[in-house]
Amino acid sequence: MFGLRFVKPQAHYKAEAYTSPLNPVGLRIVHRAMAATSFVAASLVRRAAVAFALSHPLINNKVSYHRTLVTFPLGPRLSSSGICHLAQAVKRDDDDLLKGVVDKTVIEEVKHVLEMARRASLRREVLHTNFLTPPVLKESMLALEKLADLKAVAQGGYPQAERCRISVGHPERLTSDPDVIVALSITGNFGFQPCSHGDFLGAILGTGIAREKFGDVIFQGEKGAQVIVVPDLADYLISSLDKVGNVPVSLTKIPLIALDYEQPRTKSFKAIELSLRIDAIASAGFKISRSKLVDLIRDGDVRLNWTPVTKNGATLKTGDIVSVRGKGRLKIGEINSTKKGKFAVELIRYL
């Protein structure tokens, strides 16, 4: 039988190779040095070890074994056996999984999710992300679907949720949806002092809770609002949030099935513009001057697909979401060219 036993001394991985005529076809790999690496990188080492086994002749025909020491350098260069640095293998794997993703911020966040998935696989446990923005959520789920022996579940409280947490683990461990979200109802006398969606969002952030620790805020008008949070912070938010605007409020836990979600109200209209720059399109969509929108971009108050905009010349496309602090959100609908070389853009304003 042939096997490899990995140990990790200082700057090398060493493998003790055993050959025996009792079972020359059998092959067993015991990973000890792979605990700190990804399961993808482990497969690369496994294949290299198999190649070594097939190329290494049996020493004798007696019922005994021969022991050979094989050393795999950890330097950045390829070794004679064709094994590359494990970190480089992981990087290449991430690059393959993230082909087509342009936003650098999204790429970095998805890489964190993939690293968490690898830890879950190695430890055979279930791990959970924070609440992810829609672009990161979408690209993370697409990447995780390409990885074998992993199951991923996204939970946001209701089917149309924009912000969700991802739970990832081995299918044998992730057999049902984990309890990683809690719904809270925020009630108060909003009939006389109306509050907006932004007022509820600002009040929650005002308690010190980071944005990634809670999901969608479902605005209900005079009824108040509902919010999805991580379980560990539910009691804290209940005790800390006492006002939204100038309205005293109370918070209670409710089952997810009690979430009262309705499709958001929108208003659609068209704008004719010379370009698809964000400062031109968004100023038309929010009915503000172009110079005012440029100021808002400079102050960090404008986001494109939930990512802060840093350049006035960012180009928009169908499906993009533009949000401006204090003014709401705008979705870019169908875009057509006019006979005069301009752009007829459908703008969908969330009310």
Side-chain angles (χ1 to χ4, degrees):
M1 184 175 181
F2 182 88
L4 289 179
R5 178 165 60 84
F6 286 92
V7 293
K8 185 181 180 182
Q10 298 181 353
H12 293 78
Y13 284 128
K14 293 186 177 181
E16 293 179 347
Y18 297 86
T19 59
S20 170
L22 288 178
N23 188 3
V25 181
L27 179 64
R28 182 181 58 175
I29 306 295
V30 180
H31 297 284
R32 289 187 180 179
M34 306 314 298
T37 64
S38 72
F39 57 89
V40 175
S43 66
L44 297 176
V45 176
R46 185 185 303 112
R47 288 196 294 269
V50 171
F52 169 82
L54 294 177
S55 63
H56 192 81
L58 295 179
I59 302 302
N60 56 52
N61 292 324
K62 296 181 181 180
V63 182
S64 61
Y65 66 83
H66 176 78
R67 173 167 155 167
T68 304
L69 186 63
V70 186
T71 302
F72 300 111
L74 292 181
R77 296 180 302 170
L78 286 173
S79 69
S80 59
S81 59
I83 299 178
C84 189
H85 194 292
L86 296 178
Q88 292 176 332
V90 174
K91 182 180 184 301
R92 286 198 303 271
D93 181 63
D94 284 350
D95 291 342
D96 290 339
L97 293 173
L98 295 172
K99 278 184 178 179
V101 183
V102 178
D103 193 310
K104 293 182 179 180
T105 303
V106 172
I107 290 175
E108 290 304 313
E109 293 192 43
V110 175
K111 284 183 177 180
H112 291 317
V113 176
L114 292 174
E115 180 57 33
M116 185 198 72
R118 295 185 178 104
R119 292 199 307 270
S121 176
L122 286 170
R123 300 173 184 175
R124 296 187 70 82
E125 61 184 356
V126 178
L127 298 177
H128 319 283
T129 69
N130 288 319
F131 284 95
L132 305 176
T133 61
V136 176
L137 175 66
K138 174 186 174 182
E139 298 300 341
S140 296
M141 292 300 290
L142 289 174
L144 291 171
E145 288 174 358
K146 301 174 185 177
L147 299 179
D149 299 328
L150 274 176
K151 180 180 178 182
V153 175
Q155 296 184 80
Y158 57 102
Q160 297 85 3
E162 292 185 348
R163 291 176 178 263
C164 297
R165 299 186 74 184
I166 294 179
S167 300
V168 62
H170 194 277
E172 293 179 358
R173 299 297 304 274
L174 190 55
T175 57
S176 60
D177 293 352
D179 295 326
V180 294
I181 55 176
V182 171
L184 300 178
S185 175
I186 307 174
T187 57
N189 190 4
F190 296 104
F192 294 98
Q193 295 183 352
C195 289
S196 66
H197 180 277
D199 292 327
F200 284 92
L201 180 61
I204 295 170
L205 291 171
T207 65
I209 295 180
R211 185 62 186 93
E212 63 268 19
K213 294 300 181 181
F214 64 96
D216 289 2
V217 177
I218 304 173
F219 181 60
Q220 297 180 299
E222 294 183 1
K223 295 180 181 179
Q226 297 170 331
V227 61
I228 317 298
V229 300
V230 296
D232 293 345
L233 293 177
D235 290 337
Y236 170 80
L237 188 58
I238 290 173
S239 61
S240 301
L241 183 59
D242 54 4
K243 279 188 177 182
V244 174
N246 294 320
V247 180
V249 297
S250 60
L251 282 72
T252 56
K253 293 181 181 180
I254 59 174
L256 295 177
I257 196 173
L259 289 172
D260 186 17
Y261 176 76
E262 295 181 0
Q263 290 290 341
R265 294 183 300 116
T266 60
K267 178 182 178 181
S268 298
F269 55 96
K270 286 190 176 182
I272 307 296
E273 297 294 333
L274 287 172
S275 74
L276 296 176
R277 288 167 51 113
I278 189 170
D279 52 355
I281 303 298
S283 61
F286 289 105
K287 307 295 184 184
I288 57 178
S289 68
R290 193 162 177 172
S291 60
K292 175 62 176 177
L293 190 76
V294 170
D295 291 340
L296 291 170
I297 291 175
R298 185 192 62 237
D299 295 339
D301 292 331
V302 180
R303 290 176 176 262
L304 173 58
N305 296 328
W306 291 269
T307 300
V309 176
T310 58
K311 297 181 179 179
N312 305 337
T315 302
L316 301 182
K317 62 183 182 302
T318 298
D320 282 345
I321 300 289
V322 180
S323 56
V324 176
R325 188 186 302 274
K327 296 187 179 297
R329 290 187 298 167
L330 179 74
K331 184 175 182 178
I332 309 302
E334 186 177 355
I335 300 175
N336 294 302
S337 298
T338 68
K339 294 180 179 180
K340 295 183 178 181
K342 297 182 179 181
F343 297 96
V345 185
E346 179 188 17
L347 301 176
I348 305 170
R349 181 81 178 270
Y350 290 84
L351 302 177

